[in-house]
Every structure is written in structure tokens, then in C-alpha cells.
Amino acid sequence: MNVVTCIAPINIAVIKYWGKRDDDLILPVNDSISTTLDKDHLCTKTTAMASSDFKEDRMWLNGSEQSMDNPRLQNCLRELKKRAQISEEMQNWKLHICSENNFPTAAGLASSAAGYACLVTTIAKLYKVEGEVSELARVGSGSACRSMYGGFVRWFMGSDPKGSDSIAKPIVPVSHWPDMRILILVINDSQKKVSSAQGMKRTLMTSELIKYRIDKILPTKINQMQQAILNKDFESFAELTMKDSNQMHAVCLDTYPPCIYMNDTSHLIVDLIHSYNATSSKIKVAYTFDAGPNATLFLLEKDVPEFVSVLDHYFPSIENINIEYKKGIAIETILPSKNLLEKINFTKQTAGKLKYIIHTRIGNGPEQLSDCKSHLLNSQGLPVASLITNC
Amino acid sequence: MNVVTCIAPINIAVIKYWGKRDDDLILPVNDSISTTLDKDHLCTKTTAMASSDFKEDRMWLNGSEQSMDNPRLQNCLRELKKRAQISEEMQNWKLHICSENNFPTAAGLASSAAGYACLVTTIAKLYKVEGEVSELARVGSGSACRSMYGGFVRWFMGSDPKGSDSIAKPIVPVSHWPDMRILILVINDSQKKVSSAQGMKRTLMTSELIKYRIDKILPTKINQMQQAILNKDFESFAELTMKDSNQMHAVCLDTYPPCIYMNDTSHLIVDLIHSYNATSSKIKVAYTFDAGPNATLFLLEKDVPEFVSVLDHYFPSIENINIEYKKGIAIETILPSKNLLEKINFTKQTAGKLKYIIHTRIGNGPEQLSDCKSHLLNSQGLPVASLITNC
């Protein structure tokens, strides 16, 4: 049967990608480094099916049918066909694609990276494409190439104008740093944002500071970050992560008109983390922000219960039986010590500033699901009845 | 009688001062340019009195007595005495100083510049100090030196390690650009902020981007701004002002831990102004932000009624008989045209995001008040009963 289903993870950059030197091929102006998150908690699942019976290419995303006119999607599919190892006849069969996230779209978590990583992985299997395919994911959505591997991943900007060397490579696998944990704080927000594609284009055109970041700061920093990961040096990793996030948002603010992604709550989270870290002689928690207000925090497993007790104290949740406030890996509930709270220079916030939190870990890259029950398309090539998927 | 009363204006920088190369002498890392605001709407008034009857130096600020231990104040007074042209006997007389702002302190408008400019002007008169005294105001509070002149003012960073050439000089007087108007939007805010003195120190120590701003960007920009002012080229003035404000806040964000002064409402104002400017082929309004959330806007007199009608539409005020929402120069009330509102890509906000607005113009430097009724100290050297002053 010509059907394949795969799942692919999202990734969070700790040295950010912001700016393209080629808009069509999505070639970045700097190397970036990311962590791949566990697919148990955040992933995209995609089923692709090819059949001589299909009249046209069709695609469903999160339950609704989408146009396939998107030029990036067409670029991806064309490149996949070029490298296909299947008969010409089969290559001419029309495709049905169905894709789902296991997390709400409304969360504002960037899903295009997982989406394109999953699409490329799935169709590459279907077409029996061999070798490195992160380049193909990159053509769909730049940072998607980093979701093609697990653990800690580096996307090399490369120098080939055609982009053949602008690919992702793993730095270390999941097993290298097993006690690294991630908390995603989903923030209530309603403000409109400039899309990251538009934002980075505008930054590159108008920011004076980004030139210095690219030429003078990042070449050193990317290697420092890689070394911190290799050494499992949490404090260096954390400091580099926070500084790089701040600097990316600084060049966004230096853009004209400015691009603003963090909001007042994001900045309160930053403030709480610096105040919390200041209570001990060690950096225990790091934050990073992408093109939206949500915070992604890095911390070691041993520090999760204490930090979450502090977070719960200062950012109380609204009791709501309809929403599971804490998702992902279970967290031991403790109360923060009075002594600790006295040392933290921060004001308790009104309830409900955070929508929910996800506790997860570093995970592996995309994988194929062999169980035929996992397909999102039925034998007629139409989406299965239940669209609530559990990867 | 040994008593002098003066008033001094506040000033708003359009090329920002952010970073000291000498903390004690307050020597900046770059030149800055500011506009002096009309004292009719925003000013500090100071009375200084010397008498052989006084037992000790005493000072009252906004109605409450303050310690005079402050090292910056002591530096100022010592320098003023060095240059005094009065008898040694009189120099040994104790001083009483009383100072008031004609705007609420709670507004979050930086008052230290006007405060030190007024103090230095007043005591310089009392001590018959001659010549350039902006250097002395600078020692009290860096940007105070710019409040020593009216119109558009440039503070030269200088190169003398002792600071003798780090002084303010007028670029053009008030009369040069009579139709320039200023709107100050005072924003409701409760978040704690890092003081500007601490903030700029931290930025200089930790930001990687500020080095590039100082070395490569500002030397060109300061001259472009001066030229825009000389040419009365509003659009260049406006664009340079907005970009410099954004860049100052960008290096604040690139600081570790980051210093955040603008809040969500500040960014909404920025967004509205870009949306409004985009409706015509001209830049009509510019924004700038100091170390706090309040916006200072520059626009030409002819554009005030239309812009304020747009502002009122998108940022409605709360009806409150206790607060005069629009202060300063009266503004003709008009309704924005439907056609204009349709072109503005912005969402109407909930009422009360702005506390009040002040409409003012460019003004002159400090001046001495000759009417003896204007003194803030009575013949015994104590604050007069009524502390609500009208400059």
C-alpha cells in the first residue's frame, strides 16, 4: 500500500535564526543551534498516500482542507520528486496528505518547523528518497531542517548559493544530556504580531545592529554554545541562551517599524527568572523567546519542582476544570520555602497571566509509525473520522 | 536680600544619551541632541537663600525636606562655590533651597534634568558665577546640562578627562522652528523599572551591541539629526528620532539582565503612529521613549487636531471629573474622518490606557523670576505655605 505515516518534533533554538540571505531557498545569514523536543508532548503527525485513483493532489491540515498552491510546499514536493527512487508511473500518481498537531494551534507555538519536517520525512519514505533530506525541509520552512534530528542540532548556514551545504547536523543525541528539562509557558495574549518571515526580512533591511550581530558576535557565540552543550555546562548554556534571545529581540526592536514579539508578561517571566537565579550562586533556569510571547525555559530535572513551586506562587493559575493547566511530564508538587520567597525580589501577579505550561524533555527526530492504525487517511485517501490524534 | 528664584525646563532627547565613560563626572559615551520644552507646561522652580542666620544647609523638594548628603548635589555645590564671585564670608553662609515641579511627580516624567538645571542656575545667580555653567548642571544629572538652553540643544561628549568640554550648546533657538509641537502621553503603568543610572551602567558593561552603536552608528547620526533640525526637515527629523529611540531600547534589551522601559501600551502607541503615518505619503508624527513607558510625540502644529482625533478614537479616555485629561496648549476638537479611520490598521483599545496627555511646544532655557512673590522660601528661609506652584 502506498501510504506512510510519520511523526516529527518541534525544535526550540538557543542560538536564533533571524534573517535570510536567500528568500526562495531559505538560506540563513547565520548558523543556529536548537534543541529537539520530545514528540510525546509536542509533535506533528502526517500521513501521505499516493494512488492512481486520486484525481488531484489534496491536503488537510488540522482537520480542514487547504490549498496546495503554496510555493514553498510546491518547492518541497518538486525536490522530493527529483530524488525519488520509485517508478515514473508512481511519481505521476496524485498525493493526498493529512497532517495534525498534538497541541492546540491557538497555543501560538511555532508549528511550521514540525510540519515541514514531518511532510518531508513522510514523502521521502513514500518516494524512497535516500540520503540527507534536511535541505528539503529547509526549503519548506527554514528551521524545519533542525527538526530532522533529535538531541541538540546545528543548522549550518553554508556557502553554496544553491544551498546544498545549508543543512542541519546533530551535535549530540538525546542520551548526551538526559537530565535537561524544558518548560513551555503559554501566555495569554491578543496582540497582533508581524509574522517571523516578514519580521526577519524587515530586520535585515532596516536594522543597523543586526549587521554587527551577524558579522562579529554570532561566529564566536555559536561555537561557545556548541562547546557548552558538549561539556554539559548548564550555566554557560543558560547564559548564552538568555543573551541570544534578548539580542534577537533587540534587533527586532531596532527594526523600522519595530517588530515586537514579547509582551509585558514575557518580560515579567524574564524578571522572575533573573530574580530566582539571583537567590543562589548558580544559574538554574534559562529563558528563550521566539516570534511570540511564549517563554521556553531550560532547567535541570532536579530543579524542576522548586522552580515550578516558585512559578505557581508568583503566577497563580485560574482554577478551570476545562483546561489541564500542567501538561507533559508530571511534576512533583512542593511548596516554596518561605526563606526562598523572601529572597526573590518579585511581585505576585494576578491570576491567569499564563494559559498553561508544558513540561517536556529533549527528544529524538522524526520517526515512521508502522502500525497501520496510526494512519490519518483511510483506504479511500480521506481523513479518518477522529481527528484528535495521539502521536 | 540673598535670595534668588529661577525656573528651568525639562528636555527630551531625540538622539539619546545612554552610557557614561566616567560615572563621577558624568561624562557620556556619545553626543546627544534634545529639545527644550516650554516652561509654561513643564518646569521646575527653585528658590535658594543664603543667610548668616541659618544654622545648617537645608533643602525641600516638592514639599518635603530632603537630606543634602547626596554626593552629586555636593559636587554641584562645591563647583559652584569654586566659581563664586562673592565674599568669602557670604560663601560660608548656610544655604536653604526649595524646589517644586509644576507637574505631578507620579507622572513618571524625568524631573532630575530640570531639577539640577534649576538648582545650578539659581545658585549660580546667588553666587554671581559667570560664564558657561552647563558643565556644573551635568555633574548633578547628566542630561541637566541640556536644560540650560532653549530650542534644540546638543550635548558634546568632549574629550577632556576632567570634563571641561563635555558641555551643552544650543543648535538653534525656539524661533527657528515655531510650528513644532510636542504631545506627551502619560501611560498608566505599575511595573518596576531599573533606574536610568543603573540601566546605562549595566548596558555599557554587558551589551555587545552598544559598542557598535557608539563607534559606528551615532557619529553619523548625530550630524544627520543636527542637519535635519537646521533644515527644518520634519520627515528626516521624525525618522531619525524614532529609529534612535528604538535603538536605545534595543541596547537596553541586549543588556544582561535586560532593562525594559516600554510596556505593551508604549508599543501600541508605536504601532498606531506607524499605521497613521502609513495612511499618507508623509511622516506626520514621531515618537520617542526615555527610561519609562511614557511616549513623547513630535508633530507640526497643523497636524495636531487630526492626530489627536485619531488618538482619542483608538485610545479613549475614562471620563473623570477629577483629572484634566488634556493639559497644556488647547487643541481644536475635531472628529476623525471615516475615510481616514478605514485606512488605519489598528484596533480600538479599552478606555484608560493613557492617564493624560500634555500638549506643549519648544521653549526657552532657565530664567530668573524677579517678582519677590515668586519665592518659595519666606523671609525666615522656610517654605511658603502654599506649595502648589504655578511657574
Side-chain angles (χ1 to χ4, degrees), chain A residues 192 208 221 247 264 345, chain B residues 192 208 221 254 264 345:
Chain A
K192 69 174 185 200
E208 296 165 306
K221 208 168 258 189
Q247 193 167 85
D264 285 350
N345 176 21
Chain B
K192 70 174 184 198
E208 295 164 307
K221 208 167 257 188
D254 186 50
D264 285 349
N345 177 21

Side-chain angles (χ1 to χ4, degrees), chain A residues 236-253:
Chain A
S236 298
F237 170 84
E239 188 170 325
L240 287 164
T241 295
M242 292 187 273
K243 286 184 171 174
D244 193 65
S245 173
N246 291 334
Q247 193 167 85
M248 183 198 99
H249 291 278
V251 301
C252 288
L253 179 47

